[in-house]
Amino acid sequence: MDPVVTDRLVLRSFTETDLDDLHDIQRRPDVTRYLLWDTRTREETRTALATRITQSELAGAGDNLAIAVELRESGRLIGEFNLDWLSAELGRAEMGFVMNPDHGGRGYATEAGREVLRLAFERHGFHRVIGMCNGNNVSSMRLMERLGMRREAFFVQGEMLKGQRADLAVYAMLATEWAGADVTAQGTPAARG
């Protein structure tokens, strides 16, 4: 993907040099708590990174775009987003994200998420972008709400997570909602008047 530069971040494709920072994220139980996978060893992270490196373009349904989130100031990888092309017929994609909690509370996830939605709607022409998270993952739900996504469903014990029943929150945004939003520098969409 062509890099996207914001005030504080660079959104780009993954490279082999991301291993240390990616492992710093994926080794943490506080990060993987609500994910489908558990903490990863360095070798497991290396394998995951190799897959991400190949996911640099969206050419058709079934493709996933893996997006590294880098701090402009330091060049450090602080998180990742992905955009998964679910259906060409429906124009539907799913956005996912994982951020390093050491960099939380500064608006980086909102800044990156805003650009991922811009890529989805303005560059790739998706009709609908969804996001899903564990129903106990308040931080992820708040992020999707800050991005202007609406909660469409909350499935009580609707999923299995690491052998346990878990709630699932589903959020979405339509291209018309994105086009009708005034996305401020802070990433909070406000309806146009």
Side-chain angles (χ1 to χ4, degrees):
M1 74 175 268
D2 294 330
V4 174
V5 179
T6 69
D7 288 342
R8 302 177 298 165
L9 304 172
V10 177
L11 279 63
R12 57 169 175 76
S13 297
F14 278 90
T15 68
E16 291 180 10
T17 60
D18 292 321
L19 179 60
D20 290 339
D21 289 337
L22 186 61
H23 182 59
D24 187 44
I25 297 167
Q26 294 190 350
R27 68 178 179 77
R28 298 174 62 142
D30 58 335
V31 169
T32 62
R33 176 180 178 188
Y34 297 121
L35 299 178
L36 297 175
W37 42 271
D38 274 317
T39 57
R40 290 183 170 155
T41 65
R42 187 172 179 80
E43 282 309 306
E44 289 169 332
T45 300
R46 186 184 311 277
T47 300
L49 177 59
T51 299
R52 283 164 176 72
I53 290 170
T54 67
Q55 298 173 326
S56 61
E57 297 295 330
L58 282 179
D63 287 350
N64 180 66
L65 179 63
I67 303 166
V69 179
E70 172 188 300
L71 279 178
R72 279 182 66 183
E73 183 176 87
S74 67
R76 182 164 184 207
L77 178 82
I78 62 165
E80 64 178 300
F81 275 72
N82 66 63
L83 194 58
D84 190 9
W85 189 339
L86 300 176
S87 170
E89 179 184 6
L90 298 174
R92 184 169 54 212
E94 180 179 352
M95 178 179 72
F97 44 88
V98 177
M99 298 294 288
N100 186 327
D102 290 346
H103 298 277
R106 298 179 190 132
Y108 294 134
T110 304
E111 192 171 326
R114 178 179 66 243
E115 295 307 318
V116 171
L117 288 172
R118 188 180 319 280
L119 283 171
F121 292 121
E122 296 178 18
R123 185 178 297 173
H124 294 289
F126 287 110
H127 168 70
R128 176 181 173 82
V129 175
I130 65 168
M132 297 185 286
C133 69
N134 182 288
N136 291 322
N137 191 342
V138 175
S139 296
S140 290
M141 288 188 283
R142 286 183 181 156
L143 171 60
M144 289 186 277
E145 290 165 3
R146 282 193 308 274
L147 293 172
M149 300 176 82
R150 84 187 104 61
R151 187 159 88 179
E152 292 193 329
F154 190 90
F155 298 102
V156 177
Q157 296 185 3
E159 291 290 319
M160 293 297 288
L161 179 65
K162 300 172 185 166
Q164 301 292 318
R165 295 196 183 279
D167 299 341
L168 179 68
V170 180
Y171 286 77
M173 177 181 270
L174 298 175
T176 53
E177 294 167 324
W178 173 259
D182 178 15
V183 184
T184 67
Q186 290 74 38
T188 306
R192 287 187 180 149

